[in-house]
Amino acid sequence: MNKYIALVGTNSDKSTNRELLQFMKRHYADQADIEVVEIKGLPVFNKPDNMKVPDAALAIADKIDQSDGVIISTPEYDHSVPAALMNVLEWLSYGIHPFVDKPVMITGSSYGALGSSRAQGHLRIILDSPELRARIMPSSEFLLDHSLQAFDDDGNLLDHEKLSKLDGLFADFQTFVGLAKQLNHATSINRQEASDYSWDKQ
């Protein structure tokens, strides 16, 4: 059974993105082991001269390293991902590189009609950066719109069509992870290149 880390893409105390990942953890419990991980408590990234990465970021990096893949659920703030999510990704690409060649599935929910579509597009660009180099599952947007009305009192998705879409995408992700495990011949070089990369040298 595959082990996945599900990153809550916000530090908000109440988030339908957290609800979505918690639902996925329960709903797919017989198919995968999903651990929901918070990104709260990290200091603002400041590129410290001593290259010291906060313990909280190192703990997340270790979980990602030990996982078969990562699921990220992001809200949309000002047509982009939240600052808290950008912050944790900056820490996770500073001297440590757990996302290199790691399969990633992107999901997202929002209170409005677009379901975080622009934020998901932005997140794809970030994850494809030279310092992160994740393997992002293509053509796989799951956009949960009007998310305040999306769950019942037990935290289950109400819309059967949305659930069917999520089921299909999760099955695709399982297949994608299996394929990604075979695409490892350049991973050590990719990690070294990510480690060597620095905007200061450009």
Side-chain angles (χ1 to χ4, degrees), residues 148-167:
L148 286 175
Q149 296 82 40
F151 300 94
D152 64 20
D153 292 340
D154 295 320
N156 298 312
L157 275 178
L158 291 167
D159 189 319
H160 293 292
E161 187 173 333
K162 289 284 187 184
L163 178 55
S164 179
K165 174 72 176 290
L166 185 60
D167 285 344

Side-chain angles (χ1 to χ4, degrees), residues 63-134:
K63 288 178 182 292
I64 293 172
D65 274 331
Q66 300 303 316
S67 74
D68 296 292
V70 178
I71 304 167
I72 303 176
S73 192
T74 181
E76 183 170 304
Y77 297 166
D78 300 327
H79 291 191
S80 185
V81 299
L85 179 54
M86 292 182 66
N87 186 56
V88 72
L89 292 175
E90 286 167 346
W91 280 121
L92 293 175
S93 58
Y94 184 64
I96 52 175
H97 303 279
F99 274 101
V100 172
D101 290 348
K102 185 69 65 172
V104 176
M105 175 182 180
I106 299 174
T107 67
S109 70
S110 72
Y111 297 168
L114 295 178
S116 79
S117 60
R118 290 163 296 198
Q120 290 195 33
H122 186 205
L123 182 55
R124 286 179 176 275
I125 294 172
I126 295 171
L127 290 170
D128 197 39
S129 67
E131 302 94 326
L132 284 162
R133 302 190 184 211

